Amino acid sequence: MRAPQPEPPIPGSFATPSLLAWIVNGKYVMSLPLYRIETDLKACGATISRQDMAVCVQLVVAGLVTMIFRV
């Protein structure tokens, strides 16, 4: 018996919660530009473009704003 797979944080995306947290942490906590995060990911063997990361960051922030200001 298997547990059901959890819903992805971004519907239709392969981005896991930990990857999104890593990108957002790098962008806003470590103040890294997306090209540096892209370079770090390439060093780990993952190829994710800056454009894809920018879209992911926008969707994560939009989701957080929605959760914070839900009335």
Side-chain angles (χ1 to χ4, degrees):
M1 178 158 223
R2 273 179 72 172
Q5 184 175 3
E7 291 293 321
I10 299 174
S13 172
F14 290 108
T16 63
S18 58
L19 175 63
L20 294 173
W22 194 76
I23 293 170
V24 171
N25 180 64
K27 177 76 178 139
Y28 293 108
V29 176
M30 305 300 290
S31 302
L32 296 174
L34 290 177
Y35 77 88
R36 295 256 322 266
I37 298 171
E38 181 182 33
T39 304
D40 290 345
L41 286 170
K42 280 184 184 175
C44 295
T47 304
I48 302 173
S49 70
R50 282 177 265 176
Q51 293 81 9
D52 289 340
M53 284 190 283
V55 169
C56 287
V57 168
Q58 289 173 347
L59 292 172
V60 167
V61 170
L64 288 173
V65 168
T66 302
M67 286 179 7
I68 290 171
F69 294 109
R70 188 177 297 165
V71 177

Short mmCIF file of all heavy atoms in Angstrom, two decimals:
data_model
loop_
_atom_site.label_atom_id
_atom_site.label_comp_id
_atom_site.label_asym_id
_atom_site.label_seq_id
_atom_site.Cartn_x
_atom_site.Cartn_y
_atom_site.Cartn_z
N MET A 1 0.84 -1.17 0.00
CA MET A 1 0.00 0.00 0.00
C MET A 1 0.89 1.24 0.00
O MET A 1 1.87 1.31 0.72
CB MET A 1 -0.90 -0.03 1.23
CG MET A 1 -1.78 1.15 1.36
SD MET A 1 -3.17 0.74 2.39
CE MET A 1 -4.43 1.51 1.48
N ARG A 2 0.52 2.20 -0.84
CA ARG A 2 1.29 3.44 -0.95
C ARG A 2 0.45 4.63 -0.51
O ARG A 2 -0.75 4.67 -0.76
CB ARG A 2 1.69 3.68 -2.40
CG ARG A 2 2.95 3.01 -2.80
CD ARG A 2 3.27 3.26 -4.23
NE ARG A 2 3.69 4.64 -4.45
CZ ARG A 2 4.17 5.08 -5.58
NH1 ARG A 2 4.27 4.27 -6.61
NH2 ARG A 2 4.54 6.32 -5.72
N ALA A 3 1.11 5.56 0.09
CA ALA A 3 0.43 6.81 0.44
C ALA A 3 0.26 7.65 -0.83
O ALA A 3 1.07 7.56 -1.76
CB ALA A 3 1.26 7.59 1.46
N PRO A 4 -0.79 8.45 -0.90
CA PRO A 4 -0.97 9.29 -2.08
C PRO A 4 0.14 10.34 -2.17
O PRO A 4 0.65 10.82 -1.16
CB PRO A 4 -2.33 9.96 -1.86
CG PRO A 4 -2.59 9.85 -0.41
CD PRO A 4 -1.86 8.63 0.07
N GLN A 5 0.50 10.66 -3.40
CA GLN A 5 1.54 11.66 -3.62
C GLN A 5 1.00 13.03 -3.27
O GLN A 5 -0.11 13.39 -3.65
CB GLN A 5 1.98 11.63 -5.08
CG GLN A 5 3.12 12.55 -5.37
CD GLN A 5 3.61 12.41 -6.80
OE1 GLN A 5 3.05 11.66 -7.58
NE2 GLN A 5 4.66 13.13 -7.13
N PRO A 6 1.77 13.83 -2.51
CA PRO A 6 1.30 15.17 -2.15
C PRO A 6 1.21 16.07 -3.38
O PRO A 6 1.92 15.87 -4.37
CB PRO A 6 2.34 15.68 -1.17
CG PRO A 6 3.55 14.86 -1.41
CD PRO A 6 3.09 13.54 -1.96
N GLU A 7 0.37 17.06 -3.30
CA GLU A 7 0.22 18.03 -4.38
C GLU A 7 1.50 18.86 -4.49
O GLU A 7 2.08 19.25 -3.47
CB GLU A 7 -0.96 18.97 -4.10
CG GLU A 7 -2.31 18.29 -4.19
CD GLU A 7 -2.64 17.85 -5.60
OE1 GLU A 7 -2.33 18.60 -6.55
OE2 GLU A 7 -3.18 16.75 -5.75
N PRO A 8 1.96 19.13 -5.70
CA PRO A 8 3.16 19.97 -5.84
C PRO A 8 2.85 21.42 -5.44
O PRO A 8 1.71 21.88 -5.58
CB PRO A 8 3.49 19.87 -7.33
CG PRO A 8 2.21 19.51 -7.99
CD PRO A 8 1.43 18.71 -6.99
N PRO A 9 3.84 22.14 -4.94
CA PRO A 9 3.61 23.53 -4.54
C PRO A 9 3.20 24.41 -5.71
O PRO A 9 2.44 25.34 -5.55
CB PRO A 9 4.93 23.99 -3.95
CG PRO A 9 5.88 22.87 -4.07
CD PRO A 9 5.20 21.70 -4.67
N ILE A 10 3.74 24.12 -6.89
CA ILE A 10 3.37 24.84 -8.11
C ILE A 10 2.73 23.81 -9.04
O ILE A 10 3.43 22.92 -9.54
CB ILE A 10 4.59 25.50 -8.78
CG1 ILE A 10 5.23 26.51 -7.82
CG2 ILE A 10 4.18 26.16 -10.09
CD1 ILE A 10 6.52 27.11 -8.34
N PRO A 11 1.43 23.88 -9.25
CA PRO A 11 0.76 22.88 -10.09
C PRO A 11 1.39 22.81 -11.49
O PRO A 11 1.69 23.82 -12.11
CB PRO A 11 -0.68 23.40 -10.18
CG PRO A 11 -0.85 24.26 -8.98
CD PRO A 11 0.50 24.87 -8.73
N GLY A 12 1.63 21.58 -11.95
CA GLY A 12 2.22 21.36 -13.26
C GLY A 12 3.74 21.50 -13.30
O GLY A 12 4.34 21.41 -14.36
N SER A 13 4.35 21.71 -12.16
CA SER A 13 5.80 21.90 -12.09
C SER A 13 6.45 20.69 -11.44
O SER A 13 5.84 20.00 -10.62
CB SER A 13 6.12 23.15 -11.28
OG SER A 13 7.51 23.25 -11.06
N PHE A 14 7.70 20.45 -11.80
CA PHE A 14 8.47 19.38 -11.16
C PHE A 14 9.26 19.91 -9.96
O PHE A 14 9.98 19.14 -9.33
CB PHE A 14 9.43 18.74 -12.16
CG PHE A 14 8.73 17.94 -13.21
CD1 PHE A 14 8.65 18.40 -14.51
CD2 PHE A 14 8.12 16.75 -12.89
CE1 PHE A 14 7.99 17.66 -15.48
CE2 PHE A 14 7.46 16.00 -13.85
CZ PHE A 14 7.40 16.46 -15.14
N ALA A 15 9.14 21.19 -9.66
CA ALA A 15 9.89 21.79 -8.55
C ALA A 15 9.36 21.27 -7.22
O ALA A 15 8.17 21.34 -6.94
CB ALA A 15 9.79 23.31 -8.60
N THR A 16 10.26 20.74 -6.43
CA THR A 16 9.90 20.24 -5.11
C THR A 16 9.90 21.38 -4.10
O THR A 16 10.52 22.43 -4.34
CB THR A 16 10.91 19.16 -4.65
OG1 THR A 16 12.20 19.77 -4.54
CG2 THR A 16 10.96 17.99 -5.62
N PRO A 17 9.25 21.19 -2.97
CA PRO A 17 9.28 22.24 -1.94
C PRO A 17 10.72 22.58 -1.50
O PRO A 17 11.03 23.75 -1.29
CB PRO A 17 8.48 21.64 -0.78
CG PRO A 17 7.56 20.66 -1.42
CD PRO A 17 8.33 20.10 -2.59
N SER A 18 11.58 21.57 -1.40
CA SER A 18 12.95 21.85 -0.96
C SER A 18 13.73 22.64 -2.01
O SER A 18 14.53 23.52 -1.67
CB SER A 18 13.68 20.56 -0.61
OG SER A 18 13.71 19.69 -1.71
N LEU A 19 13.51 22.36 -3.30
CA LEU A 19 14.19 23.14 -4.35
C LEU A 19 13.70 24.58 -4.33
O LEU A 19 14.51 25.52 -4.40
CB LEU A 19 13.94 22.53 -5.73
CG LEU A 19 14.50 23.34 -6.91
CD1 LEU A 19 16.02 23.44 -6.83
CD2 LEU A 19 14.06 22.74 -8.23
N LEU A 20 12.40 24.78 -4.21
CA LEU A 20 11.86 26.14 -4.15
C LEU A 20 12.40 26.89 -2.93
O LEU A 20 12.76 28.06 -3.02
CB LEU A 20 10.34 26.11 -4.13
CG LEU A 20 9.69 25.59 -5.41
CD1 LEU A 20 8.18 25.43 -5.21
CD2 LEU A 20 9.98 26.48 -6.59
N ALA A 21 12.46 26.20 -1.79
CA ALA A 21 12.99 26.82 -0.58
C ALA A 21 14.46 27.20 -0.77
O ALA A 21 14.89 28.27 -0.34
CB ALA A 21 12.84 25.89 0.61
N TRP A 22 15.23 26.34 -1.45
CA TRP A 22 16.64 26.61 -1.69
C TRP A 22 16.82 27.83 -2.59
O TRP A 22 17.66 28.69 -2.32
CB TRP A 22 17.28 25.37 -2.32
CG TRP A 22 18.77 25.38 -2.32
CD1 TRP A 22 19.59 25.15 -1.26
CD2 TRP A 22 19.60 25.65 -3.43
NE1 TRP A 22 20.89 25.25 -1.67
CE2 TRP A 22 20.93 25.56 -3.00
CE3 TRP A 22 19.36 25.96 -4.76
CZ2 TRP A 22 22.01 25.76 -3.83
CZ3 TRP A 22 20.44 26.16 -5.61
CH2 TRP A 22 21.75 26.06 -5.13
N ILE A 23 16.00 27.93 -3.63
CA ILE A 23 16.10 29.08 -4.55
C ILE A 23 15.68 30.37 -3.85
O ILE A 23 16.37 31.39 -3.94
CB ILE A 23 15.25 28.83 -5.81
CG1 ILE A 23 15.85 27.69 -6.65
CG2 ILE A 23 15.14 30.10 -6.66
CD1 ILE A 23 14.96 27.22 -7.78
N VAL A 24 14.55 30.34 -3.14
CA VAL A 24 14.05 31.54 -2.46
C VAL A 24 15.02 31.95 -1.34
O VAL A 24 15.29 33.14 -1.16
CB VAL A 24 12.62 31.31 -1.92
CG1 VAL A 24 12.17 32.45 -1.02
CG2 VAL A 24 11.65 31.15 -3.09
N ASN A 25 15.58 30.98 -0.63
CA ASN A 25 16.57 31.29 0.41
C ASN A 25 17.79 31.96 -0.21
O ASN A 25 18.29 32.96 0.32
CB ASN A 25 16.97 30.02 1.15
CG ASN A 25 17.98 30.29 2.23
OD1 ASN A 25 17.71 30.99 3.19
ND2 ASN A 25 19.17 29.74 2.06
N GLY A 26 18.27 31.41 -1.30
CA GLY A 26 19.43 32.00 -1.96
C GLY A 26 19.14 33.41 -2.44
O GLY A 26 19.97 34.32 -2.31
N LYS A 27 17.95 33.61 -2.99
CA LYS A 27 17.59 34.92 -3.55
C LYS A 27 17.39 35.98 -2.47
O LYS A 27 17.91 37.09 -2.57
CB LYS A 27 16.32 34.76 -4.39
CG LYS A 27 15.79 36.04 -4.98
CD LYS A 27 16.61 36.48 -6.16
CE LYS A 27 16.01 37.74 -6.75
NZ LYS A 27 17.04 38.67 -7.12
N TYR A 28 16.61 35.65 -1.44
CA TYR A 28 16.21 36.68 -0.47
C TYR A 28 16.98 36.67 0.84
O TYR A 28 17.12 37.71 1.47
CB TYR A 28 14.71 36.58 -0.20
CG TYR A 28 13.91 36.94 -1.43
CD1 TYR A 28 13.23 35.97 -2.15
CD2 TYR A 28 13.87 38.24 -1.89
CE1 TYR A 28 12.51 36.30 -3.29
CE2 TYR A 28 13.17 38.58 -3.04
CZ TYR A 28 12.49 37.60 -3.72
OH TYR A 28 11.81 37.93 -4.86
N VAL A 29 17.48 35.53 1.28
CA VAL A 29 18.23 35.49 2.53
C VAL A 29 19.72 35.71 2.27
O VAL A 29 20.37 36.51 2.95
CB VAL A 29 18.00 34.15 3.27
CG1 VAL A 29 18.84 34.07 4.52
CG2 VAL A 29 16.52 33.99 3.61
N MET A 30 20.24 35.02 1.25
CA MET A 30 21.67 35.13 0.93
C MET A 30 21.97 36.25 -0.06
O MET A 30 23.12 36.52 -0.35
CB MET A 30 22.18 33.80 0.37
CG MET A 30 21.92 32.60 1.28
SD MET A 30 22.69 32.74 2.89
CE MET A 30 24.39 32.55 2.44
N SER A 31 20.92 36.90 -0.58
CA SER A 31 21.06 38.02 -1.53
C SER A 31 21.84 37.66 -2.78
O SER A 31 22.62 38.46 -3.30
CB SER A 31 21.70 39.24 -0.85
OG SER A 31 20.95 39.63 0.26
N LEU A 32 21.63 36.43 -3.27
CA LEU A 32 22.32 35.99 -4.48
C LEU A 32 21.48 36.32 -5.70
O LEU A 32 20.27 36.11 -5.70
CB LEU A 32 22.55 34.47 -4.44
CG LEU A 32 23.46 33.94 -3.35
CD1 LEU A 32 23.47 32.42 -3.38
CD2 LEU A 32 24.87 34.47 -3.54
N PRO A 33 22.11 36.82 -6.75
CA PRO A 33 21.37 36.99 -8.00
C PRO A 33 21.09 35.61 -8.61
O PRO A 33 21.79 34.64 -8.33
CB PRO A 33 22.31 37.82 -8.87
CG PRO A 33 23.66 37.62 -8.29
CD PRO A 33 23.48 37.30 -6.84
N LEU A 34 20.08 35.55 -9.46
CA LEU A 34 19.68 34.27 -10.03
C LEU A 34 20.78 33.63 -10.87
O LEU A 34 20.87 32.41 -10.95
CB LEU A 34 18.39 34.41 -10.84
CG LEU A 34 17.13 34.68 -10.01
CD1 LEU A 34 15.93 34.88 -10.92
CD2 LEU A 34 16.89 33.58 -9.01
N TYR A 35 21.65 34.43 -11.50
CA TYR A 35 22.71 33.82 -12.29
C TYR A 35 23.70 33.07 -11.40
O TYR A 35 24.27 32.06 -11.80
CB TYR A 35 23.42 34.85 -13.18
CG TYR A 35 24.42 35.75 -12.50
CD1 TYR A 35 25.74 35.36 -12.35
CD2 TYR A 35 24.04 36.99 -12.01
CE1 TYR A 35 26.66 36.18 -11.72
CE2 TYR A 35 24.94 37.82 -11.39
CZ TYR A 35 26.26 37.41 -11.25
OH TYR A 35 27.16 38.23 -10.62
N ARG A 36 23.89 33.53 -10.16
CA ARG A 36 24.78 32.80 -9.23
C ARG A 36 24.13 31.52 -8.75
O ARG A 36 24.78 30.49 -8.62
CB ARG A 36 25.12 33.68 -8.02
CG ARG A 36 25.92 34.90 -8.33
CD ARG A 36 27.39 34.85 -7.97
NE ARG A 36 27.78 34.18 -6.77
CZ ARG A 36 27.97 34.78 -5.59
NH1 ARG A 36 27.76 36.07 -5.45
NH2 ARG A 36 28.37 34.08 -4.56
N ILE A 37 22.81 31.57 -8.51
CA ILE A 37 22.09 30.37 -8.12
C ILE A 37 22.11 29.36 -9.27
O ILE A 37 22.29 28.16 -9.06
CB ILE A 37 20.65 30.71 -7.69
CG1 ILE A 37 20.66 31.62 -6.46
CG2 ILE A 37 19.85 29.45 -7.40
CD1 ILE A 37 19.31 32.20 -6.09
N GLU A 38 21.96 29.86 -10.49
CA GLU A 38 22.02 29.00 -11.68
C GLU A 38 23.38 28.31 -11.76
O GLU A 38 23.47 27.11 -12.04
CB GLU A 38 21.77 29.85 -12.93
CG GLU A 38 21.79 29.07 -14.22
CD GLU A 38 21.59 29.98 -15.43
OE1 GLU A 38 22.04 31.15 -15.40
OE2 GLU A 38 20.99 29.51 -16.40
N THR A 39 24.45 29.04 -11.49
CA THR A 39 25.80 28.48 -11.51
C THR A 39 25.96 27.41 -10.42
O THR A 39 26.55 26.35 -10.66
CB THR A 39 26.85 29.59 -11.32
OG1 THR A 39 26.65 30.58 -12.32
CG2 THR A 39 28.25 29.06 -11.42
N ASP A 40 25.44 27.69 -9.24
CA ASP A 40 25.51 26.71 -8.15
C ASP A 40 24.76 25.43 -8.50
O ASP A 40 25.22 24.32 -8.22
CB ASP A 40 24.95 27.29 -6.85
CG ASP A 40 25.82 28.38 -6.26
OD1 ASP A 40 27.00 28.49 -6.68
OD2 ASP A 40 25.33 29.13 -5.39
N LEU A 41 23.59 25.58 -9.11
CA LEU A 41 22.82 24.40 -9.50
C LEU A 41 23.53 23.60 -10.58
O LEU A 41 23.53 22.36 -10.55
CB LEU A 41 21.43 24.82 -9.99
CG LEU A 41 20.44 25.25 -8.91
CD1 LEU A 41 19.20 25.87 -9.53
CD2 LEU A 41 20.07 24.08 -8.04
N LYS A 42 24.17 24.28 -11.54
CA LYS A 42 24.94 23.58 -12.57
C LYS A 42 26.09 22.79 -11.95
O LYS A 42 26.39 21.69 -12.38
CB LYS A 42 25.48 24.56 -13.61
CG LYS A 42 24.46 24.97 -14.62
CD LYS A 42 25.07 25.88 -15.67
CE LYS A 42 24.00 26.36 -16.62
NZ LYS A 42 24.51 27.33 -17.59
N ALA A 43 26.71 23.36 -10.92
CA ALA A 43 27.80 22.66 -10.23
C ALA A 43 27.30 21.39 -9.54
O ALA A 43 28.05 20.43 -9.38
CB ALA A 43 28.46 23.58 -9.22
N CYS A 44 26.02 21.39 -9.16
CA CYS A 44 25.41 20.21 -8.53
C CYS A 44 24.86 19.23 -9.57
O CYS A 44 24.33 18.18 -9.21
CB CYS A 44 24.28 20.64 -7.60
SG CYS A 44 24.82 21.60 -6.19
N GLY A 45 24.90 19.61 -10.84
CA GLY A 45 24.41 18.73 -11.89
C GLY A 45 22.98 19.00 -12.34
O GLY A 45 22.42 18.23 -13.10
N ALA A 46 22.39 20.09 -11.89
CA ALA A 46 21.02 20.44 -12.27
C ALA A 46 21.06 21.64 -13.20
O ALA A 46 21.79 22.60 -12.95
CB ALA A 46 20.18 20.76 -11.05
N THR A 47 20.29 21.57 -14.27
CA THR A 47 20.24 22.69 -15.21
C THR A 47 18.85 23.32 -15.13
O THR A 47 17.88 22.76 -15.61
CB THR A 47 20.51 22.22 -16.65
OG1 THR A 47 21.78 21.56 -16.67
CG2 THR A 47 20.54 23.38 -17.61
N ILE A 48 18.78 24.46 -14.48
CA ILE A 48 17.53 25.22 -14.37
C ILE A 48 17.85 26.65 -14.77
O ILE A 48 18.74 27.28 -14.21
CB ILE A 48 16.97 25.19 -12.94
CG1 ILE A 48 16.72 23.74 -12.50
CG2 ILE A 48 15.68 25.99 -12.84
CD1 ILE A 48 16.32 23.59 -11.06
N SER A 49 17.13 27.16 -15.76
CA SER A 49 17.44 28.49 -16.28
C SER A 49 17.01 29.58 -15.29
O SER A 49 16.15 29.36 -14.43
CB SER A 49 16.75 28.71 -17.61
OG SER A 49 15.36 28.83 -17.44
N ARG A 50 17.61 30.74 -15.45
CA ARG A 50 17.23 31.89 -14.62
C ARG A 50 15.78 32.26 -14.84
O ARG A 50 15.09 32.66 -13.91
CB ARG A 50 18.10 33.09 -14.95
CG ARG A 50 19.47 33.02 -14.33
CD ARG A 50 20.28 34.19 -14.77
NE ARG A 50 21.05 33.74 -15.93
CZ ARG A 50 21.83 34.52 -16.64
NH1 ARG A 50 21.94 35.78 -16.36
NH2 ARG A 50 22.50 34.03 -17.65
N GLN A 51 15.32 32.13 -16.07
CA GLN A 51 13.93 32.47 -16.38
C GLN A 51 12.97 31.55 -15.62
O GLN A 51 11.97 32.01 -15.06
CB GLN A 51 13.67 32.38 -17.89
CG GLN A 51 14.41 33.42 -18.70
CD GLN A 51 15.87 33.05 -18.98
OE1 GLN A 51 16.31 31.94 -18.72
NE2 GLN A 51 16.63 34.00 -19.50
N ASP A 52 13.28 30.25 -15.60
CA ASP A 52 12.44 29.30 -14.86
C ASP A 52 12.47 29.60 -13.36
O ASP A 52 11.45 29.54 -12.68
CB ASP A 52 12.88 27.87 -15.12
CG ASP A 52 12.55 27.40 -16.53
OD1 ASP A 52 11.67 28.01 -17.17
OD2 ASP A 52 13.17 26.42 -16.99
N MET A 53 13.66 29.93 -12.86
CA MET A 53 13.75 30.26 -11.43
C MET A 53 12.98 31.53 -11.12
O MET A 53 12.31 31.62 -10.08
CB MET A 53 15.21 30.42 -11.01
CG MET A 53 15.92 29.11 -10.86
SD MET A 53 17.53 29.28 -10.09
CE MET A 53 18.49 29.90 -11.45
N ALA A 54 13.03 32.51 -12.01
CA ALA A 54 12.31 33.77 -11.78
C ALA A 54 10.81 33.51 -11.72
O ALA A 54 10.11 34.06 -10.86
CB ALA A 54 12.63 34.78 -12.88
N VAL A 55 10.31 32.67 -12.62
CA VAL A 55 8.87 32.34 -12.61
C VAL A 55 8.52 31.61 -11.32
O VAL A 55 7.50 31.91 -10.68
CB VAL A 55 8.50 31.50 -13.85
CG1 VAL A 55 7.10 30.94 -13.72
CG2 VAL A 55 8.62 32.34 -15.11
N CYS A 56 9.36 30.67 -10.90
CA CYS A 56 9.11 29.94 -9.65
C CYS A 56 9.08 30.89 -8.46
O CYS A 56 8.19 30.79 -7.60
CB CYS A 56 10.17 28.87 -9.43
SG CYS A 56 10.02 27.45 -10.51
N VAL A 57 10.03 31.82 -8.41
CA VAL A 57 10.07 32.78 -7.30
C VAL A 57 8.80 33.64 -7.30
O VAL A 57 8.20 33.87 -6.24
CB VAL A 57 11.34 33.65 -7.38
CG1 VAL A 57 11.26 34.83 -6.42
CG2 VAL A 57 12.58 32.82 -7.09
N GLN A 58 8.38 34.09 -8.47
CA GLN A 58 7.16 34.91 -8.55
C GLN A 58 5.95 34.13 -8.07
O GLN A 58 5.11 34.67 -7.33
CB GLN A 58 6.92 35.37 -9.98
CG GLN A 58 7.89 36.41 -10.45
CD GLN A 58 7.73 36.73 -11.93
OE1 GLN A 58 7.05 36.02 -12.67
NE2 GLN A 58 8.36 37.81 -12.36
N LEU A 59 5.84 32.86 -8.45
CA LEU A 59 4.69 32.05 -8.03
C LEU A 59 4.72 31.76 -6.54
O LEU A 59 3.68 31.77 -5.87
CB LEU A 59 4.63 30.75 -8.84
CG LEU A 59 4.31 30.93 -10.32
CD1 LEU A 59 4.47 29.61 -11.06
CD2 LEU A 59 2.91 31.49 -10.50
N VAL A 60 5.91 31.51 -5.99
CA VAL A 60 6.03 31.27 -4.55
C VAL A 60 5.64 32.53 -3.77
O VAL A 60 4.87 32.46 -2.81
CB VAL A 60 7.46 30.81 -4.18
CG1 VAL A 60 7.69 30.86 -2.68
CG2 VAL A 60 7.72 29.42 -4.71
N VAL A 61 6.15 33.67 -4.19
CA VAL A 61 5.83 34.93 -3.51
C VAL A 61 4.34 35.24 -3.63
O VAL A 61 3.71 35.65 -2.65
CB VAL A 61 6.70 36.08 -4.05
CG1 VAL A 61 6.23 37.42 -3.54
CG2 VAL A 61 8.16 35.85 -3.68
N ALA A 62 3.76 35.01 -4.80
CA ALA A 62 2.32 35.26 -4.98
C ALA A 62 1.51 34.36 -4.05
O ALA A 62 0.53 34.81 -3.44
CB ALA A 62 1.92 35.03 -6.43
N GLY A 63 1.93 33.10 -3.91
CA GLY A 63 1.24 32.19 -2.99
C GLY A 63 1.37 32.62 -1.55
O GLY A 63 0.41 32.54 -0.77
N LEU A 64 2.55 33.11 -1.17
CA LEU A 64 2.75 33.58 0.21
C LEU A 64 1.92 34.82 0.49
O LEU A 64 1.32 34.94 1.56
CB LEU A 64 4.23 33.86 0.46
CG LEU A 64 5.14 32.65 0.57
CD1 LEU A 64 6.60 33.09 0.65
CD2 LEU A 64 4.77 31.80 1.75
N VAL A 65 1.88 35.74 -0.45
CA VAL A 65 1.08 36.95 -0.25
C VAL A 65 -0.39 36.60 -0.11
O VAL A 65 -1.09 37.14 0.75
CB VAL A 65 1.32 37.95 -1.43
CG1 VAL A 65 0.31 39.07 -1.41
CG2 VAL A 65 2.73 38.50 -1.37
N THR A 66 -0.84 35.66 -0.92
CA THR A 66 -2.24 35.21 -0.83
C THR A 66 -2.53 34.61 0.54
O THR A 66 -3.56 34.89 1.14
CB THR A 66 -2.54 34.18 -1.94
OG1 THR A 66 -2.29 34.78 -3.20
CG2 THR A 66 -3.97 33.72 -1.88
N MET A 67 -1.59 33.79 1.04
CA MET A 67 -1.80 33.17 2.36
C MET A 67 -1.77 34.21 3.47
O MET A 67 -2.55 34.14 4.43
CB MET A 67 -0.72 32.11 2.61
CG MET A 67 -0.93 30.86 1.82
SD MET A 67 0.29 29.55 2.00
CE MET A 67 1.37 30.00 3.28
N ILE A 68 -0.87 35.18 3.37
CA ILE A 68 -0.72 36.18 4.44
C ILE A 68 -1.95 37.09 4.50
O ILE A 68 -2.45 37.41 5.58
CB ILE A 68 0.56 37.00 4.22
CG1 ILE A 68 1.78 36.12 4.47
CG2 ILE A 68 0.59 38.22 5.13
CD1 ILE A 68 3.10 36.75 4.07
N PHE A 69 -2.43 37.52 3.34
CA PHE A 69 -3.51 38.51 3.31
C PHE A 69 -4.88 37.90 3.07
O PHE A 69 -5.81 38.61 2.70
CB PHE A 69 -3.22 39.58 2.27
CG PHE A 69 -2.02 40.42 2.64
CD1 PHE A 69 -0.83 40.30 1.93
CD2 PHE A 69 -2.07 41.29 3.71
CE1 PHE A 69 0.27 41.05 2.28
CE2 PHE A 69 -0.98 42.04 4.06
CZ PHE A 69 0.21 41.93 3.35
N ARG A 70 -5.00 36.59 3.29
CA ARG A 70 -6.31 35.94 3.15
C ARG A 70 -7.23 36.49 4.23
O ARG A 70 -6.94 36.51 5.40
CB ARG A 70 -6.15 34.43 3.30
CG ARG A 70 -7.41 33.67 2.97
CD ARG A 70 -7.19 32.20 3.06
NE ARG A 70 -6.19 31.81 2.06
CZ ARG A 70 -5.58 30.64 2.07
NH1 ARG A 70 -5.82 29.76 3.00
NH2 ARG A 70 -4.70 30.35 1.13
N VAL A 71 -8.36 36.95 3.80
CA VAL A 71 -9.30 37.57 4.76
C VAL A 71 -10.49 36.67 4.96
O VAL A 71 -11.00 36.03 4.15
CB VAL A 71 -9.75 38.95 4.24
CG1 VAL A 71 -10.77 39.55 5.18
CG2 VAL A 71 -8.56 39.84 4.11
#
